[in-house]
Amino acid sequence: MTNVPDKIQTWQMATPFRKDRETGEVTPGKLEKAEIAVPELKPGEVLVEVAGCGVCHTDLGYFYDGVPTVSKPPLTLGHEISGTVVAGDAKWVGKEVIIPAVMPCRQCILCKTGKGNRCLGQKMPGNSMGIYGGFSSHIPVPSIDLCEVKDRGDIPLEHLAVVADAATSPYQAILRSGFKMGDNAIVMGIGGIGQYIVQELKAMGANTVIALARRQEPLDKMLLNGADFAVNIKDKSSRDVAGEIKAIRKEKGLASTDWKIFEATGSKPGAELALSLLSFTGTMVVVGYGAYKIDYALSRLMAFDAEIKGTWGCLPEYYPTVLGMVTGKKINISDYVQTRPMSTINEVFEEAHAQSPEKRIVLVPDF
Ligand SMILES: [Zn+2]
Ligand SMILES: [Zn+2]
């Protein structure tokens, strides 16, 4: 094989940021260029040449906020990866692939009962696969969960990195809601995850999708990409928002029951608003992560015959469906992704940490 390297080039997290518990003093973390050996591939493993790796909120959590990785640093972060297989399992060599962000063990009771997305033994690049992660030139991974990229047309392979995480977790969340064609939905928050929930709901045959957010520009863009209605919630009470949604229901003659509500902000106000909108036979799915606690009268669930559910990751089996929505242009990724050279990783992390970028940043190896 001509494309097999002597060494893997990588940007390792040497040390994450550390905050002293007593003094509150912060020791800055470091992402450093490193060279590591190409491991001997085990049967069923392949070496993937990375085309792009997306910067996810989770990576920032590991680096800045003391969220521990399963494999201890130094390790390479990054779990949103697309690339080309260059060695290993012969039937994969030369193929373009997406590496699922979480790969189930396929042995445990959860895996055997269709809940492998929450397998407790799952492997995740840039977290629990030793030193290997996506912010590298190459990564060794098992081939069993790879999603082959076919007919990508004019979509760059590096853009498809977002299918590894940002675009697939929403699909699992939608299935988790019990969504059926013709259902109505509200999506609270249209950032990296929420905007794909909106797009995929519509692609999957939702009747009406209402997007809620605090900034007008992304809401306007969402109206071009799947949302039927956009409600700007800035400085509005939950009563005001409920009133606007009621007006939309009236205008379109929609039922008040059985709405699917997705909380994708990971914030307390977002969750409170979503809960206030949950009504008769509705389902709320918690997609966003935040360390808040909330007051809620659980008896409302009883009275409404309603449900609140959590959702985690996405089964590798669903990746081809999501990829098909992207390559079939049923969902738009091009307007929601930007690429940067991987050598700017330190600046990019700082930028994304300071403010969540409007377009997902995918780092492209330039070693
Ligand atoms: Zn992620
Ligand atoms: Zn398992």
Side-chain angles (χ1 to χ4, degrees), residues 120-279:
L120 302 182
Q122 63 189 196
K123 293 280 185 211
M124 178 174 165
N127 174 27
S128 58
M129 292 178 62
I131 54 175
Y132 305 108
F135 300 128
S136 312
S137 62
H138 298 77
I139 181 170
V141 288
S143 62
I144 185 166
D145 293 316
L146 292 176
C147 171
E148 187 180 351
V149 176
K150 290 183 220 161
D151 307 321
R152 63 180 164 84
D154 58 355
I155 304 171
L157 181 58
E158 56 269 30
H159 284 191
L160 292 174
V162 300
V163 176
D165 188 12
T168 35
S169 300
Y171 185 76
Q172 182 83 41
I174 293 168
L175 296 187
R176 183 84 172 108
S177 75
F179 172 84
K180 307 171 300 301
M181 228 187 204
D183 277 350
N184 301 311
I186 294 168
V187 181
M188 177 63 235
I190 52 169
I193 294 284
Q195 66 86 359
Y196 283 118
I197 300 178
V198 172
Q199 293 205 57
E200 291 172 24
L201 279 164
K202 205 63 195 175
M204 290 163 77
N207 179 30
T208 299
V209 183
I210 304 175
L212 309 184
R214 300 164 56 87
R215 289 175 46 237
Q216 196 55 43
E217 204 185 316
L219 281 168
D220 291 340
K221 189 170 159 188
M222 208 70 262
L223 287 170
L224 304 172
N225 291 292
D228 297 287
F229 295 91
V231 176
N232 190 324
I233 61 169
K234 191 161 193 269
D235 301 328
K236 286 180 192 158
S237 68
S238 57
R239 266 182 96 108
D240 292 342
V241 176
E244 286 191 43
I245 290 173
K246 194 173 173 188
I248 292 169
R249 279 207 321 263
K250 266 192 144 176
E251 182 196 324
K252 280 199 75 178
L254 304 172
S256 62
T257 56
D258 208 22
W259 282 67
K260 307 290 188 266
I261 300 172
F262 298 85
E263 197 314 281
T265 67
S267 72
K268 185 171 181 176
E272 282 172 339
L273 182 56
L275 278 169
S276 75
L277 298 171
L278 181 60
S279 183

Side-chain angles (χ1 to χ4, degrees), residues 20-337:
D20 190 288
R21 281 196 177 190
E22 268 142 44
T23 64
E25 200 186 322
V26 176
T27 318
K30 259 191 206 156
L31 297 163
E32 287 176 342
K33 212 166 166 176
E35 231 180 34
I36 55 178
V38 179
E40 189 140 345
L41 297 172
K42 297 186 204 90
E45 273 189 348
V46 294
L47 188 69
V48 174
E49 182 179 19
V50 176
C53 180
V55 177
C56 177
H57 192 70
T58 309
D59 296 311
L60 303 175
Y62 295 140
F63 190 52
Y64 291 101
D65 303 331
V67 180
T69 47
V70 174
S71 308
K72 296 293 151 235
L75 87 160
T76 305
L77 298 175
H79 54 269
E80 198 175 82
I81 311 163
S82 60
T84 306
V85 177
V86 293
D89 203 342
K91 69 173 195 292
W92 281 97
V93 174
K95 288 185 174 161
E96 294 184 339
V97 295
I98 289 158
I99 302 171
V102 289
M103 295 176 256
C105 80
R106 298 184 185 268
Q107 306 293 327
C108 71
I109 186 71
L110 290 178
C111 283
K112 287 178 177 164
T113 53
K115 293 177 182 162
N117 61 301
R118 191 46 290 193
C119 166
L120 302 182
Q122 63 189 196
K123 293 280 185 211
M124 178 174 165
N127 174 27
S128 58
M129 292 178 62
I131 54 175
Y132 305 108
F135 300 128
S136 312
S137 62
H138 298 77
I139 181 170
V141 288
S143 62
I144 185 166
D145 293 316
L146 292 176
C147 171
E148 187 180 351
V149 176
K150 290 183 220 161
D151 307 321
R152 63 180 164 84
D154 58 355
I155 304 171
L157 181 58
E158 56 269 30
H159 284 191
L160 292 174
V162 300
V163 176
D165 188 12
T168 35
S169 300
Y171 185 76
Q172 182 83 41
I174 293 168
L175 296 187
R176 183 84 172 108
S177 75
F179 172 84
K180 307 171 300 301
M181 228 187 204
D183 277 350
N184 301 311
I186 294 168
V187 181
M188 177 63 235
I190 52 169
I193 294 284
Q195 66 86 359
Y196 283 118
I197 300 178
V198 172
Q199 293 205 57
E200 291 172 24
L201 279 164
K202 205 63 195 175
M204 290 163 77
N207 179 30
T208 299
V209 183
I210 304 175
L212 309 184
R214 300 164 56 87
R215 289 175 46 237
Q216 196 55 43
E217 204 185 316
L219 281 168
D220 291 340
K221 189 170 159 188
M222 208 70 262
L223 287 170
L224 304 172
N225 291 292
D228 297 287
F229 295 91
V231 176
N232 190 324
I233 61 169
K234 191 161 193 269
D235 301 328
K236 286 180 192 158
S237 68
S238 57
R239 266 182 96 108
D240 292 342
V241 176
E244 286 191 43
I245 290 173
K246 194 173 173 188
I248 292 169
R249 279 207 321 263
K250 266 192 144 176
E251 182 196 324
K252 280 199 75 178
L254 304 172
S256 62
T257 56
D258 208 22
W259 282 67
K260 307 290 188 266
I261 300 172
F262 298 85
E263 197 314 281
T265 67
S267 72
K268 185 171 181 176
E272 282 172 339
L273 182 56
L275 278 169
S276 75
L277 298 171
L278 181 60
S279 183
F280 293 95
T281 69
T283 303
M284 171 170 153
V285 181
V286 181
V287 192
Y289 176 82
Y292 60 83
K293 289 185 180 165
I294 225 162
D295 265 338
Y296 182 71
L298 281 177
S299 304
R300 289 165 70 101
L301 296 182
M302 182 215 88
F304 290 150
D305 196 0
E307 293 179 86
I308 303 176
K309 297 173 173 184
T311 182
W312 179 266
C314 180
L315 268 181
E317 286 85 330
Y318 299 145
Y319 276 62
T321 306
V322 177
L323 178 61
M325 288 188 214
V326 175
T327 55
K329 305 271 167 97
K330 291 209 164 89
I331 62 176
N332 172 1
I333 62 167
S334 311
D335 291 336
Y336 289 96
V337 68

Side-chain angles (χ1 to χ4, degrees), residues 57 60 215 338 348-359 361:
H57 192 70
L60 303 175
R215 289 175 46 237
Q338 56 180 318
V348 164
F349 264 53
E350 256 175 56
E351 181 186 325
H353 187 235
Q355 198 190 349
S356 190
E358 262 178 54
K359 296 179 174 189
I361 302 175

